[in-house]
Amino acid sequence: MQPTILRTVQVGRFTLRIRSSPGPDSPASPRSPYVLVHGLGMTHRYLDRLRAELAADAVVHAVDLPGYGPDPQPRTPLGVEDHAALIVEALEVLGIRSCTLVGHSMGVQFVTEAALQQPALAERLVLIGPVVDRLRRSILQQAVSLAHDTLRESPSANLIVGTDYLRTGTRWYVRQVRRMMDYPLENAVENLRCPVLVLRGGRDPVARQRWCQELAARARDGAFVEIPGQPHVVQHSAAGLVAAEIIAFRRRRTLTPSPFLPEASDRTTGKLEDRSA
């Protein structure tokens, strides 16, 4: 197993923790790193399996943002744009000028905004289980979705999610959820300059198929991949398959845009879903 290097990066008043896997000893050619970003209430822990798989291809960095994990929560609420700016500055401190940004759930919003703020940083963008579906933009729908998805996750995934939620705490979670709900991801994706891969688990009740296909179609250079039979935390339950798709995406020279779908996800109301964002 690859060793993990833990670094603490101070950006102004904020602390970010970054865990790195060094990648293969003798890559055929130098490759820029992968940077993994967690979602709402979470930390690097549910990205660890994916980090280990991607380390076979290149260096991998997993970011823990301020307010998540063991560090004290910032007194000032941070929006999506603020988190993105912190990611950009922290990577600059580490000397990372170009990378493949990978976000899960609300982490999708963070990496998308980072790519908009610093286009040169993002070679490619991977959006796993993206939120929030523009036709399901209500807290009630997302809460029901989260509960629904919990029934589909493995015990190990639920254990990680549950303990990370407890460590993050209700106060910070609630302060961040509104910012998640308000971020117009579908509009942001249209302004990205880099290739975009949208990936979901086939049984993800949060990031539904039509929504993910729409995001891929809105991107200038977008692709959509679905991992059959997997729930929202697909990067944990099927890390090897997800890593293989990401590596193939990064090595692909051209992408075929999906047909544009004018209406995202189905219009079902009531039993909707949202897992950590």
Side-chain angles (χ1 to χ4, degrees):
M1 179 177 291
Q2 292 278 14
T4 297
I5 302 167
L6 172 61
R7 283 171 285 195
T8 300
V9 179
Q10 198 71 26
V11 179
R13 297 177 290 111
F14 302 103
T15 301
L16 293 83
R17 294 180 182 271
I18 300 179
R19 287 168 172 79
S20 305
S21 296
D25 294 331
S26 303
S29 59
R31 297 188 179 102
S32 59
Y34 295 99
V35 175
L36 313 183
V37 181
H38 60 78
L40 178 61
M42 300 304 300
T43 65
H44 68 280
R45 298 198 305 147
Y46 77 157
L47 297 165
D48 279 350
R49 290 183 180 179
L50 180 60
R51 175 163 59 94
E53 293 286 346
L54 290 175
D57 184 59
V59 174
V60 189
H61 307 285
V63 178
D64 278 349
L65 292 165
Y68 300 94
D71 292 320
Q73 295 171 0
R75 294 182 179 180
T76 305
L78 298 174
V80 172
E81 296 80 1
D82 301 317
H83 281 106
L86 290 172
I87 292 169
V88 169
E89 291 189 48
L91 296 182
E92 184 176 351
V93 170
L94 295 180
I96 298 172
R97 301 290 182 264
S98 180
C99 64
T100 295
L101 287 167
V102 182
H104 176 259
S105 208
M106 190 179 182
V108 162
Q109 299 180 357
F110 299 149
V111 298
T112 298
E113 183 61 28
L116 292 176
Q117 291 182 16
Q118 188 64 271
L121 175 66
E123 281 185 14
R124 299 195 177 220
L125 211 59
V126 180
L127 314 181
I128 304 175
V131 296
V132 176
D133 187 329
R134 66 182 177 88
L135 296 183
R136 295 172 170 273
R137 196 161 277 149
S138 83
I139 292 178
L140 176 60
Q141 289 175 328
Q142 297 303 307
V144 174
S145 300
L146 173 60
H148 188 183
D149 183 67
T150 299
L151 300 176
R152 300 181 177 186
E153 298 289 351
S154 66
S156 62
N158 281 330
L159 179 62
I160 292 172
V161 171
T163 53
D164 272 359
Y165 278 179
L166 288 174
R167 295 169 73 194
T168 296
T170 303
R171 182 180 178 185
W172 187 252
Y173 188 98
V174 170
R175 293 171 82 177
Q176 294 299 303
V177 73
R178 174 48 63 187
R179 288 157 177 80
M180 177 189 78
M181 299 299 299
D182 290 342
Y183 188 76
L185 179 63
E186 64 277 10
N187 297 331
V189 165
E190 292 179 346
N191 295 314
L192 292 168
R193 300 181 188 176
C194 62
V196 176
L197 172 64
V198 183
L199 188 150
R200 74 180 291 269
R203 298 184 70 237
D204 182 350
V206 182
R208 298 194 173 194
Q209 186 183 73
R210 289 178 64 90
W211 162 243
C212 292
Q213 288 177 325
E214 180 187 353
L215 289 177
R218 283 178 179 267
R220 297 182 189 181
D221 191 356
F224 168 72
V225 169
E226 184 173 273
I227 308 296
Q230 300 301 321
H232 188 55
V233 190
V234 61
Q235 77 281 359
H236 177 83
S237 60
L241 294 175
V242 172
E245 293 291 350
I246 293 173
I247 292 170
F249 165 69
R250 192 162 92 155
R251 294 177 179 177
R252 200 176 304 161
R253 292 192 175 185
T254 59
L255 304 175
T256 303
S258 307
F260 178 71
L261 299 173
E263 295 185 2
S265 50
D266 36 24
R267 296 178 176 272
T268 309
T269 57
K271 293 187 177 180
L272 315 185
E273 359 341 285
D274 177 5
R275 166 47 56 358
S276 148

